[in-house]
Amino acid sequence: MATTVKTKLTELLGIRAPVVSAAMVYASSAKLAVEVTRAGGFGTFGVAGFTQEKLREELTFARTSLPTLGDELLPIGCGFLGWMLDLKEDEFRPLLDIVLESGVRALWLSFGNNLGRWVQYIRDSTANAPGGRRPLVFVQVTTVEEAVCAANEWKVDVIIAQGNESGGHGRSSAPSTMVLLSEILASLPGDDAPPILVAGGITNGTQIAAYLTAGASGAVLGTRFVLTPESTYSVAQKNVLKGAKSSQTVRSLAFDQARGTNNWPEGIDGRGIRNEIVKDVESGVDEKTTQEKYRAAVQAQDTNYMVIWSGQGISLINDIKPAREVVEELHEGIVRALRRAQHLLA
């Protein structure tokens, strides 16, 4: 991976490939994040499912896996859900403090009605950090209005534009990733705008190259990195995804009804593989019953009633390979597509 793709993101982070692994709760890990970073991209993981002790273990693992760092920032990111910070501050603010103390390179915030408060909290908490040791702030957006606020009011370092094709949670009314990117770029013109990353349905280098030529600075991939050995998804869940098609995915609140996680901001639902959960909820099965069936299915690893988040790009993924190989393959695909595009000019 000798060639570096030059974008605002790669220059900001000092990486070769404009590839970021998503901060997925219950699917990503410090191990996955480290491997993505080692391969030349930028790895992140979601912390909402961790206890304080487990989070410290993950961060210690990450730093010891990169022994040449010394006192430098840990070149990975950690993701937090805004609504969880708001609703259960006593539980989740200590996790945020642990991450800040660990010296990670970036904090990723998403899905909250008061994200600006937490952007400021991060900035205030690290105000006295030595030069160059303040973490970057990534904010995930699903509308143009959110992007403009993040850039102009909160002055965030990176914006992640999440389109409707994405797996996991997102805005049900969000436009496609390409349309959202175009709208944001039109609303934030000029070199002063933060790097804009795209997320949603992206699985290969050709797609990433297309977004780069449209003005994105990089791409965030979730489902592609779920199908790696480093992902914490179960073997049963991964096997379902290996043979899945985009037509099998559906946006629904049914998955959260089954899990008992119904506190997401208004307009947010989740895209996953349609299964018996969705059928039951659509046919009127009560919440208590769906939750009981879900818990039993998790114990039995019965994927007919488990939540399996997936983006629409799943049709283009049919194998499980190490995260390092995924990043290398993506980078090669980006370079190849960009070089091929030069032949379009006469």
Side-chain angles (χ1 to χ4, degrees):
M1 197 193 293
T3 303
T4 294
V5 179
K6 185 179 179 181
T7 73
K8 283 185 178 180
L9 179 74
T10 60
E11 292 187 322
L12 178 66
L13 294 174
I15 58 178
R16 294 188 298 274
V19 173
V20 177
S21 62
M24 302 171 287
V25 179
Y26 301 120
S28 57
S29 65
K31 184 176 182 179
L32 173 57
V34 166
E35 289 305 303
V36 171
T37 293
R38 276 177 168 165
F42 188 72
T44 74
F45 69 99
V47 307
F50 293 135
T51 63
Q52 293 183 36
E53 180 181 4
K54 178 60 176 174
L55 179 56
R56 287 192 176 96
E57 289 177 4
E58 290 284 300
L59 292 166
T60 298
F61 167 84
R63 189 164 285 279
T64 55
S65 297
L66 300 164
T68 61
L69 281 180
D71 293 331
E72 294 180 23
L73 289 174
L74 184 58
I76 61 172
C78 289
F80 288 84
L81 297 168
W83 69 266
M84 285 190 172
L85 286 165
D86 292 334
L87 188 65
K88 301 179 180 180
E89 183 173 341
D90 290 345
E91 178 180 350
F92 289 101
R93 185 160 56 88
L95 297 180
L96 180 54
D97 291 337
I98 289 170
V99 169
L100 290 171
E101 291 166 5
S102 75
V104 297
R105 186 76 173 93
L107 275 293
W108 170 331
L109 300 174
S110 60
F111 302 121
N113 294 317
N114 195 15
L115 288 186
R117 175 195 173 194
W118 297 106
V119 172
Q120 192 60 47
Y121 182 85
I122 293 168
R123 296 261 168 79
D124 291 344
S125 298
T126 56
N128 296 320
R133 287 189 56 82
R134 295 186 67 178
L136 300 172
V137 177
F138 290 29
V139 166
Q140 183 174 323
V141 304
T142 55
T143 68
V144 174
E145 292 76 16
E146 290 174 344
V148 171
C149 177
N152 295 341
E153 295 184 30
W154 303 338
K155 308 295 183 182
V156 303
D157 300 291
V158 175
I159 290 174
I160 301 163
Q162 184 196 34
N164 194 268
E165 307 97 319
S166 63
H169 287 89
R171 185 169 299 278
S172 58
S173 61
S176 70
T177 306
M178 182 61 84
V179 169
L180 181 59
L181 171 66
S182 301
E183 291 177 341
I184 291 174
L185 290 173
S187 299
L188 296 173
D191 294 335
D192 293 336
I196 310 297
L197 312 187
V198 287
I202 304 167
T203 61
N204 61 48
T206 300
Q207 293 170 309
I208 297 172
Y211 283 115
L212 294 180
T213 61
S217 292
V220 175
L221 292 84
T223 308
R224 172 63 272 193
F225 285 109
V226 168
L227 285 168
T228 63
E230 295 87 357
S231 165
T232 57
Y233 253 33
S234 69
V235 172
Q237 289 172 303
K238 292 177 184 179
N239 285 338
V240 169
L241 289 173
K242 275 200 325 184
K245 302 299 180 185
S246 60
S247 58
Q248 293 175 252
T249 71
V250 61
R251 299 205 74 93
S252 176
L253 289 171
F255 304 117
D256 284 300
Q257 177 170 318
R259 299 194 315 168
T261 50
N262 296 313
N263 297 301
W264 293 83
E266 184 178 356
I268 303 300
D269 60 10
R271 183 183 293 281
I273 300 296
R274 175 184 283 274
N275 58 14
E276 296 300 318
I277 293 175
V278 179
K279 292 179 182 178
D280 273 4
V281 172
E282 289 180 345
S283 64
V285 174
D286 65 275
E287 189 168 310
K288 180 180 178 182
T289 300
T290 58
Q291 290 179 10
E292 289 174 349
K293 293 173 72 173
Y294 167 74
R295 288 192 292 269
V298 171
Q299 289 294 319
Q301 287 295 288
D302 176 7
T303 56
N304 290 312
Y305 221 89
M306 292 173 67
V307 174
I308 307 173
W309 303 117
S310 173
Q312 287 189 317
I314 190 61
S315 297
L316 300 173
I317 312 171
N318 53 25
D319 59 0
I320 296 174
K321 62 179 60 174
R324 177 184 289 269
E325 292 184 21
V326 171
V327 175
E328 291 171 350
E329 183 179 273
L330 291 169
H331 183 266
E332 291 169 3
I334 294 168
V335 172
R336 187 165 53 249
L338 291 175
R339 286 174 173 163
R340 185 170 60 242
Q342 293 176 355
H343 299 302
L344 297 174
L345 299 174

